[in-house]
């Protein structure tokens, strides 16, 4: 079920109301296919919480690899509280460990133990199909569809659900994979992933992620809203 709210003339999908947000809906599908999942996450990533929560509900085990921090991020602590095994990766020479290093360590761990490695953001055909199916009841009536883009899974899925709309993906993390962005107009977030945005929307939204996309969506669609166009914004996770 989708919950929506009209905010400044924009229809907002409120997946922040779901435990684990958008990805919490669909990790259960992936967990049906594997007993042990391994995932690499930015320390501030919301998917680690959704995955840990879903795994607890399904009685499965997950291993989450994150960059070591002086103070563990609240989302990592939350994932640990749900029963996930947390692996922190530190730089022996000091400084921040790049995400690609964390990903490599997670992949090697999964291969060595015979576990299933889950791509960043949970990107998979099953995930895309599930999101598309959940979105379609809203109807292909939108002039513009906006969302934040990390792995690009969400915008790819929404493009399949609403092929007639103009799609806008606000890139918060690294570059989208080849072809993942589809035909979306990709905008670069004004604030990097690891920096909290101080400009928050009037609904619970991740200051690391969705809130940054909302900032650009609200700014760039004012004229379209005034003209009566139908604008959809997909909010993945709360604060």
């Amino acid at each position: 079920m989708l919950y929506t709210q009209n905010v400044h003339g924009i229809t907002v999908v409120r997946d922040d109301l779901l435990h684990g947000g958008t990805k919490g809906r669909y990790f259960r599908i992936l967990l049906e296919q594997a007993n042990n999942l391994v995932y690499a996450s930015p320390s501030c990533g919301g998917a680690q919480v959704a995955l840990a929560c879903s795994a607890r509900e399904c009685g499965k085990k997950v291993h989450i690899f994150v960059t070591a921090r002086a103070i563990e991020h609240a989302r990592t602590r939350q994932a640990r509280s749900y029963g996930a095994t947390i692996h922190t990766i530190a730089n022996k020479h000091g400084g921040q460990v790049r995400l690609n290093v964390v990903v490599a360590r997670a992949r090697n761990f999964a291969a060595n133990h015979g576990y299933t490695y889950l791509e960043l953001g949970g990107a998979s055909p099953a995930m895309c199909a599930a999101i598309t199916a959940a979105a379609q009841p809203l109807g292909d009536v939108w002039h513009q569809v906006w969302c934040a883009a990390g792995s690009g899974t969400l915008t790819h899925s929404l493009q399949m659900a609403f092929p007639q709309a103009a799609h806008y993906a606000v890139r918060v993390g690294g570059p989208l994979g080849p072809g993942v962005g589809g035909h979306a107009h990709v905008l670069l977030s004004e604030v990097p992933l690891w920096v909290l945005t101080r400009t928050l929307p009037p609904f619970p939204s991740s200051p690391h992620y969705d809130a940054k996309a909302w900032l650009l969506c609200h700014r760039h669609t004012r004229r379209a809203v005034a003209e009566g166009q139908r604008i959809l914004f997909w909010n993945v996770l709360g604060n």
Side-chain angles (χ1 to χ4, degrees):
M1 182 176 180
L2 289 176
Y3 300 92
T4 61
Q5 177 184 353
N6 185 293
V7 182
H8 303 315
I10 300 169
T11 299
V12 178
V13 173
R14 293 284 311 277
D15 266 6
D16 57 279
L17 295 172
L18 301 179
H19 207 187
T22 296
K23 290 183 171 65
R25 292 174 175 273
Y26 315 111
F27 277 142
R28 292 169 184 81
I29 296 174
L30 304 179
L31 284 160
E32 290 175 357
Q33 305 169 9
N35 289 322
N36 291 275
L37 287 180
V38 180
Y39 185 68
S41 173
S43 58
C44 59
Q48 60 183 318
V49 177
L51 180 58
C53 176
S54 300
R56 184 177 69 172
E57 294 176 357
C58 296
K60 301 295 181 72
K61 296 180 179 179
V62 294
H63 296 261
I64 298 174
F65 285 68
V66 296
T67 300
R69 291 166 47 114
I71 300 176
E72 192 172 61
H73 196 280
R75 286 187 173 154
T76 303
R77 292 198 301 271
Q78 189 175 8
R80 190 193 303 277
S81 74
Y82 288 145
T85 300
I86 305 297
H87 303 259
T88 55
I89 309 304
N91 189 332
K92 296 180 181 179
H93 306 290
Q96 191 80 353
V97 175
R98 293 183 178 274
L99 183 57
N100 62 345
V101 175
V102 179
V103 168
R105 293 286 294 275
R107 286 184 183 276
N108 288 338
F109 178 85
N112 291 336
H113 290 79
Y115 296 162
T116 300
Y117 173 76
L118 182 60
E119 296 291 341
L120 285 171
S124 71
M127 177 75 79
C128 286
I131 295 175
T132 300
Q136 284 175 330
L138 292 173
D140 191 12
V141 298
W142 308 100
H143 293 94
Q144 297 182 30
V145 176
W146 287 73
C147 68
S151 66
T153 301
L154 179 57
T155 184
H156 183 71
S157 304
L158 296 180
Q159 287 172 49
M160 291 191 290
F162 312 121
Q164 301 302 318
H167 289 263
Y168 295 83
V170 179
R171 181 163 65 84
V172 180
L176 303 182
V180 174
H183 62 263
H185 304 281
V186 179
L187 291 77
L188 182 63
S189 170
E190 298 174 352
V191 185
L193 173 65
W194 58 89
V195 178
L196 295 171
T197 181
R198 296 182 179 181
T199 306
L200 298 175
F203 49 87
S205 187
S206 170
H208 281 292
Y209 193 62
D210 304 285
K212 298 170 184 177
W214 169 260
L215 176 65
L216 294 182
C217 174
H218 186 217
R219 179 188 303 165
H220 288 284
T221 60
R222 288 174 180 170
R223 181 174 180 177
V225 169
E227 293 173 348
Q229 293 189 31
R230 298 186 182 93
I231 313 297
L232 183 72
F233 178 83
W234 195 287
N235 191 54
V236 170
L237 194 65
N239 187 355

